[in-house]
């Protein structure tokens, strides 16, 4: 009886797996029907100028907020009463505008001017023209806003929030970059369809014009694709990215790939692990690889996340002095836990850190209960920044961005 039950169970499992693969192939084929595949081959990766970093040689410290994040200023994102933003997942800016994505609560994108004043919520929710559902990637150019949602769809809007176009894409992407010629680059983790099993895919109209860095291992498709990072002042018409569980940081234009950094490792994620979901889930933390976090580069610094033998470190390379520093966390000595993590975006030399306003509101409530006037006076004198922010923070406050330089 037990043997019969086991046979039935295995039959169901194998049938389900087979059906899932077939369904994936069928759906990918349907999505591909409107696209034309270019005959272009792989781009050759140039690694002649890459900088090598050995995480085993780095001393870990806590990053002290007051000493690490300099020239701090704070930007409150102001919205009408009926627009409440739950958090900042991604940021894109230029000199005049700030585009943010809230994946946490509102699942919407918002455009602000450089003073943090609300301009509009991009498009609206739904399935028709000018409507989208659950955006996961954003891009801001001089003339348009681009949203990618979980429905394999790219939406374009003008900077006046006018709907321009809607286009289905045949793969899942967590990040998008717009080249100056209007072609779009996507990071991709699809492995179920051979023609799309590449890390970077460029689309020009209805043509898939380029695929670069072939995916290795079936486990990749179960994880989020990497983010494409751009600081226009530094990278121009190109972006930085890293492969999932990889050890190289690449800079890619529409025709070249250059390896900028290489993380030295005697225990990298190998291809056998990428083909074994269970082993990968268990063993990845004891290996060394670049963690899924934006690669942020200013004129003076490059910031990356590295997981090295169960230690998650934030690494900064000073491009002027060639000094490398590594931090295993932040000691927030000025904002009572408002800074929970390292920056998520950089523009020119300005790094952007979304503050945890819920944590700061809780601290505000605790301090409001203090009756000792002498103690209150000492706290205000010790941390004037946080008390000026307390005046702006309520239970339903919008996010506040800390904008700073890093030393």
């Amino acid at each position: 009886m037990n043997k019969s039950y086991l046979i039935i169970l295995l039959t169901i499992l194998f049938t389900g797996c087979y059906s899932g693969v077939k369904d994936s192939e069928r759906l990918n084929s349907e999505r591909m029907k409107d696209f034309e595949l270019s005959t272009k081959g792989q781009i050759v990766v140039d690694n002649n100028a890459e900088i090598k970093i050995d995480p085993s040689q780095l001393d870990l410290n806590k990053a002290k907020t007051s000493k690490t994040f300099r020239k701090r200023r704070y930007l409150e994102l102001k919205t009408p009463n009926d627009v409440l933003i739950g958090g900042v997942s991604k940021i894109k800016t230029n000199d005049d505008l700030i585009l943010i994505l809230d994946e946490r609560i509102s699942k919407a994108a918002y455009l602000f001017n450089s003073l943090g004043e609300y301009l509009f919520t991009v498009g609206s929710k739904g399935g028709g023209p000018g409507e989208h559902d659950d955006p996961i990637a954003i891009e801001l150019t001089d003339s348009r806003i681009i949203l990618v949602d979980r429905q394999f769809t790219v939406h374009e809007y003008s900077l006046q929030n006018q709907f321009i176009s809607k286009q289905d894409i045949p793969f899942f992407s967590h990040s998008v970059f717009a080249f100056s010629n209007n072609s779009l680059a996507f990071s991709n983790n699809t492995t179920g369809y051979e023609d799309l099993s590449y890390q970077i895919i460029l689309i020009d109209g209805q043509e898939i014009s380029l695929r670069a860095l072939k995916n290795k291992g079936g486990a990749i498709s179960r994880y989020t694709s990497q983010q494409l990072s751009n600081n226009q002042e530094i990278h121009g018409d190109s972006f930085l990215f890293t492969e999932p569980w990889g050890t190289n940081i690449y800079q890619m234009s529409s025709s070249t790939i250059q390896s900028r950094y290489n993380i030295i490792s005697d225990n990298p994620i190998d291809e056998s692990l990428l083909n074994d979901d269970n082993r990968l889930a268990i063993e990845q933390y004891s290996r060394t690889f670049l963690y899924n976090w934006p690669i942020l580069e200013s004129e003076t610094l490059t910031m990356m996340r590295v997981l090295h033998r169960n230690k998650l470190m934030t690494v900064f390379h000073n491009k002027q002095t060639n000094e490398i520093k590594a931090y295993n966390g932040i000691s927030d000595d000025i904002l009572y836990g408002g800074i929970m993590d390292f920056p998520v975006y950089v523009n020119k030399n300005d790094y952007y850190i979304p503050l945890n306003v819920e944590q700061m509101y809780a601290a505000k409530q605790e301090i409001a209960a203090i009756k000792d006037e002498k103690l209150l006076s000492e706290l205000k004198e010790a941390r004037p920044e946080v008390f000026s922010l307390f005046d702006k923070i309520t239970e339903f406050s919008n996010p506040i961005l800390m904008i700073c330089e890093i030393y």
Side-chain angles (χ1 to χ4, degrees), residues 235-282:
H235 307 127
D237 207 22
S238 67
F239 57 83
L240 299 179
F241 72 103
T242 177
E243 298 173 276
W245 298 284
T247 54
N248 285 72
I249 294 174
Y250 300 103
Q251 182 167 344
M252 180 172 183
S253 70
S254 59
S255 59
T256 61
I257 299 179
Q258 180 186 30
S259 180
R260 293 278 309 283
Y261 291 90
N262 171 251
I263 306 302
I264 298 172
S265 172
D266 61 357
N267 62 337
I269 300 286
D270 54 42
E271 197 166 339
S272 67
L273 267 186
L274 293 179
N275 280 305
D276 189 332
D277 285 17
N278 292 329
R279 278 187 61 213
L280 181 63
I282 295 169

Side-chain angles (χ1 to χ4, degrees), residues 84-125:
L84 185 63
I85 303 171
V88 176
S89 306
K90 294 178 181 176
I91 303 172
K92 292 292 178 79
T93 70
N94 56 32
D95 290 340
D96 304 312
L97 301 169
I98 301 172
L99 178 66
I100 71 141
L101 174 64
D102 174 17
E103 290 183 87
R104 179 182 161 199
I105 294 179
S106 65
K107 300 185 184 300
Y110 306 88
L111 192 69
F112 298 84
N113 65 21
S114 58
L115 301 176
E117 296 167 337
Y118 172 85
L119 298 177
F120 53 80
T121 302
V122 181
S124 58
K125 290 189 177 183

Side-chain angles (χ1 to χ4, degrees), residues 180-307:
S180 59
N181 65 359
N182 292 326
S183 64
L184 299 176
F186 301 87
S187 63
N188 172 43
N189 61 353
T190 301
T191 57
Y193 189 55
E194 184 64 23
D195 286 326
L196 298 178
S197 295
Y198 290 82
Q199 284 300 312
I200 300 296
I201 295 179
L202 272 64
I203 289 183
D204 189 356
Q206 294 298 131
E207 180 189 25
I208 294 179
S209 57
L210 183 69
R211 290 153 290 156
L213 297 174
K214 191 169 180 61
N215 272 324
K216 298 176 182 177
I220 287 180
S221 63
R222 303 190 186 280
Y223 292 83
T224 300
S225 52
Q226 304 295 88
Q227 293 192 45
L228 312 182
S229 303
N230 169 271
N231 184 346
Q232 193 169 15
E233 193 83 1
I234 311 299
H235 307 127
D237 207 22
S238 67
F239 57 83
L240 299 179
F241 72 103
T242 177
E243 298 173 276
W245 298 284
T247 54
N248 285 72
I249 294 174
Y250 300 103
Q251 182 167 344
M252 180 172 183
S253 70
S254 59
S255 59
T256 61
I257 299 179
Q258 180 186 30
S259 180
R260 293 278 309 283
Y261 291 90
N262 171 251
I263 306 302
I264 298 172
S265 172
D266 61 357
N267 62 337
I269 300 286
D270 54 42
E271 197 166 339
S272 67
L273 267 186
L274 293 179
N275 280 305
D276 189 332
D277 285 17
N278 292 329
R279 278 187 61 213
L280 181 63
I282 295 169
E283 295 184 29
Q284 62 177 303
Y285 300 104
S286 63
R287 304 299 184 100
T288 299
F289 58 92
L290 283 154
Y291 199 67
N292 187 3
W293 193 266
I295 310 299
L296 304 183
E297 183 176 19
S298 66
E299 290 179 352
T300 56
L301 291 174
T302 303
M303 182 188 104
M304 65 200 77
R305 280 280 177 85
V306 176
L307 188 64

